Amino acid sequence: MSRRHILAAAPSLALMGCSRAPTASPVIDLPSLKSTAPFPVGVCAMTGHLDDPAWVDLVSTHFSQLTPEWEMKMERLVRDDGTLDFTASDRLADFCADQRMRLFGHTLIWYAQEHPWFQALPEDRFATEHDRYVRTTVERYRGRAVGWDVVNEPVAEDGNGYRECLWSRRFGGVDGYIRRAFDVAREADGEAVLFLNDYNLENNPTKGASYLRLVERLLAAGTPITGLGTQSHLDITIPEGQITAFMRELAGFGLPIHVSELDASLESGRRVDVRSDATRESQQRDRVVELAEAFMALPPAQRWAFTVWGARDSDSWMRLREDGGGPNDRPLLFDDRGRPKPVAADVAQIFAGG
Ligand code: 9MR
């Protein structure tokens, strides 16, 4: 157990002493994360969550920013005839307004969402329709969405090079399609912070380096990237120091940084995993603590937001994954019943500057 674990666990042990008998999971008296942190604390959400009063209560207590987990993606917005359907994303935007939460737009152009309607377009309409999609979506939420993941996940899975996709093929490679999406988004909203977002940047140093090189090149060419998103689906087995090292390099651009999708699976996806539950939980806490500390160590102006990819463990996309994750995974800060886990107390303490 690290020093941080012992400190963060202390209040819960004190509280346990007040109850009549120790229970299986100690009660943690978690302060409101959003009130504790000197930056917005985000969570992802789907419209289904809005009808769950326990989720609404938890989210309104602890979170000050919301990323639509699915409903603002191309696969949801674009109908078969190419028209756009904003009913679900509007509901999430309205929820944010009611709750006084910031709305974060996710995501405009993504290799994984090559909508069939776009695939079928004749070449001479492609650029116009691409621009129309980006412009219409960004303009709709202008003044409401504080930022956008303009391009998501451009770096190749193994970190060597960049993904080829519908967008890169039509717009002259990775630099071309990213530049185009950012230019249109900037024209559509002069205020929103525009992010290039990717994952495994801390987990895989090769991928982190490719991302940094891409950002450097795009900025040098005048691309209006004004924020850097690191998803942080953490691999809890990576060596200590790797997250910190990446965050320091990321900070070198001087741009706002968004930890945009934090979770930390306890499952490796391997057939045989001999780690005990206690070992996995300790690894998870250590890596999440390292990330939170590295984020806190950024210059205040660069701490744009710290977002977790789900409120309760039961809300996590990991539960549906077969290669890692799975039905027993517990990758988030709150358990299935919405009770804060020790890792949440660790994070709160770090955000409080302790
Ligand atoms: O968690 C999201 C899941 O519910 C969706 O089915 C999936 C496809 O739209 O996307 C998941 O979120 C991904 C995010 O948008 C981009 N980074 C990786 C996330 C997990 O796959």
Side-chain angles (χ1 to χ4, degrees):
M1 223 189 205
S2 70
R3 180 188 63 88
R4 182 73 65 187
H5 287 181
I6 294 162
L7 288 173
S12 47
L13 294 178
L15 263 181
M16 262 181 78
C18 301
S19 64
R20 279 172 32 157
T23 51
S25 37
V27 178
I28 293 171
D29 187 17
L30 189 74
S32 156
L33 293 175
K34 70 176 182 190
S35 312
T36 307
F39 41 76
V41 183
V43 65
C44 71
M46 294 203 241
T47 47
H49 288 124
L50 309 185
D51 303 321
D52 173 353
W55 182 91
V56 172
D57 190 42
L58 183 66
V59 162
S60 61
T61 303
H62 291 288
F63 298 98
S64 46
Q65 180 171 302
L66 184 145
T67 305
E69 183 172 357
W70 183 63
E71 282 99 336
M72 237 181 219
K73 292 173 179 169
M74 189 178 270
E75 70 177 335
R76 175 63 186 83
L77 296 183
V78 179
R79 296 193 186 94
D80 290 348
D81 64 358
T83 57
L84 301 179
D85 174 6
F86 290 106
T87 37
S89 50
D90 281 354
R91 256 196 91 196
L92 289 164
D94 290 347
F95 175 80
C96 287
D98 289 348
Q99 297 288 335
R100 298 177 187 278
M101 294 173 81
R102 303 204 310 183
L103 170 68
F104 180 66
H106 173 83
T107 176
L108 295 167
I109 297 294
W110 184 13
Y111 83 92
Q113 306 242 320
E114 301 182 344
H115 197 283
W117 185 79
F118 276 97
Q119 285 173 340
L121 279 176
E123 204 145 326
D124 60 346
R125 277 183 64 200
F126 191 85
T128 314
E129 294 299 346
H130 164 278
D131 294 358
R132 184 182 64 86
Y133 174 75
V134 173
R135 193 171 42 248
T136 310
T137 307
V138 173
E139 277 179 353
R140 184 174 190 90
Y141 296 103
R142 188 169 54 201
R144 291 191 283 171
V146 287
W148 280 94
D149 281 331
V150 177
V151 172
N152 198 34
E153 303 173 0
V155 185
E157 182 65 28
D158 66 0
N160 291 305
Y162 304 97
R163 296 181 197 271
E164 202 197 285
C165 58
L166 177 64
W167 321 106
S168 70
R169 285 192 293 278
R170 297 294 181 107
F171 293 131
V174 65
D175 297 57
Y177 90 88
I178 295 177
R179 178 67 193 259
R180 186 159 193 126
F182 273 85
D183 281 345
V184 179
R186 179 46 80 225
E187 271 170 41
D189 186 338
E191 300 290 321
V193 185
L194 304 181
F195 287 83
L196 186 69
N197 192 46
D198 217 321
Y199 68 96
N200 276 354
L201 304 179
E202 313 87 346
N203 296 338
N204 175 352
T206 305
K207 193 166 181 184
S210 291
Y211 174 86
L212 296 170
R213 275 197 303 276
L214 179 63
V215 169
E216 191 171 26
R217 208 164 71 207
L218 288 163
L219 288 174
T223 313
I225 297 175
T226 51
L228 303 176
T230 178
Q231 294 181 12
S232 303
H233 296 287
L234 296 179
D235 173 350
I236 63 174
T237 65
I238 58 176
E240 182 178 351
Q242 202 162 291
I243 295 172
T244 312
F246 177 73
M247 291 295 272
R248 282 209 191 107
E249 288 196 83
L250 193 61
F253 291 104
L255 292 173
I257 292 174
H258 186 196
V259 166
S260 56
E261 304 182 13
L262 169 63
D263 52 28
S265 175
L266 294 176
E267 308 294 331
S268 65
R270 290 191 294 270
R271 267 164 190 265
V272 179
D273 187 339
V274 294
R275 292 173 299 166
S276 66
D277 273 4
T279 300
R280 292 169 205 234
E281 276 161 26
S282 172
Q283 287 176 327
Q284 183 190 57
R285 288 178 70 178
D286 285 342
R287 294 291 71 80
V288 172
V289 161
E290 186 181 339
L291 180 71
E293 287 183 332
F295 192 78
M296 272 299 277
L298 293 171
Q302 285 184 264
R303 297 178 203 149
W304 195 74
F306 191 96
T307 294
V308 290
W309 209 237
R312 305 162 300 202
D313 285 332
S314 49
D315 299 316
S316 173
W317 71 290
M318 290 272 181
R319 287 277 171 98
L320 302 173
R321 275 186 73 172
E322 282 164 16
D323 58 331
N328 301 315
D329 206 358
R330 291 173 282 122
L332 295 171
L333 302 183
F334 296 87
D335 71 12
D336 288 16
R337 289 169 53 190
R339 295 171 304 190
K341 294 162 32 179
V343 65
D346 295 338
V347 167
Q349 193 188 32
I350 294 163
F351 288 174

mmCIF file of all heavy atoms in Angstrom, residues 105 169 186 197 251:
data_model
loop_
_atom_site.group_PDB
_atom_site.id
_atom_site.type_symbol
_atom_site.label_atom_id
_atom_site.label_comp_id
_atom_site.label_asym_id
_atom_site.label_seq_id
_atom_site.Cartn_x
_atom_site.Cartn_y
_atom_site.Cartn_z
ATOM 1 N N GLY A 105 -18.567 17.953 -26.089
ATOM 2 C CA GLY A 105 -18.981 17.257 -27.318
ATOM 3 C C GLY A 105 -18.039 16.128 -27.691
ATOM 4 O O GLY A 105 -16.831 16.310 -27.782
ATOM 5 N N ARG A 169 -8.500 8.686 -46.333
ATOM 6 C CA ARG A 169 -8.402 8.375 -47.769
ATOM 7 C C ARG A 169 -8.944 9.522 -48.625
ATOM 8 O O ARG A 169 -8.417 9.833 -49.670
ATOM 9 C CB ARG A 169 -9.155 7.071 -48.092
ATOM 10 C CG ARG A 169 -8.402 5.822 -47.622
ATOM 11 C CD ARG A 169 -9.002 4.566 -48.211
ATOM 12 N NE ARG A 169 -10.346 4.312 -47.710
ATOM 13 C CZ ARG A 169 -10.627 3.725 -46.545
ATOM 14 N NH1 ARG A 169 -9.644 3.295 -45.768
ATOM 15 N NH2 ARG A 169 -11.875 3.537 -46.169
ATOM 16 N N ARG A 186 -13.638 25.024 -36.043
ATOM 17 C CA ARG A 186 -13.259 26.363 -35.564
ATOM 18 C C ARG A 186 -14.138 27.444 -36.180
ATOM 19 O O ARG A 186 -14.576 28.372 -35.497
ATOM 20 C CB ARG A 186 -11.765 26.597 -35.854
ATOM 21 C CG ARG A 186 -11.224 27.933 -35.455
ATOM 22 C CD ARG A 186 -11.657 28.376 -34.046
ATOM 23 N NE ARG A 186 -10.910 27.800 -32.953
ATOM 24 C CZ ARG A 186 -11.487 27.302 -31.830
ATOM 25 N NH1 ARG A 186 -12.788 27.288 -31.667
ATOM 26 N NH2 ARG A 186 -10.748 26.808 -30.864
ATOM 27 N N ASN A 197 -8.043 13.665 -29.490
ATOM 28 C CA ASN A 197 -8.211 12.729 -28.368
ATOM 29 C C ASN A 197 -7.715 11.339 -28.770
ATOM 30 O O ASN A 197 -7.944 10.891 -29.893
ATOM 31 C CB ASN A 197 -9.723 12.678 -28.059
ATOM 32 C CG ASN A 197 -10.084 11.999 -26.764
ATOM 33 O OD1 ASN A 197 -9.481 12.258 -25.725
ATOM 34 N ND2 ASN A 197 -11.085 11.131 -26.806
ATOM 35 N N ALA A 251 2.229 18.099 -21.381
ATOM 36 C CA ALA A 251 2.122 19.477 -20.872
ATOM 37 C C ALA A 251 3.048 20.423 -21.613
ATOM 38 O O ALA A 251 2.831 21.645 -21.611
ATOM 39 C CB ALA A 251 2.435 19.494 -19.378
#
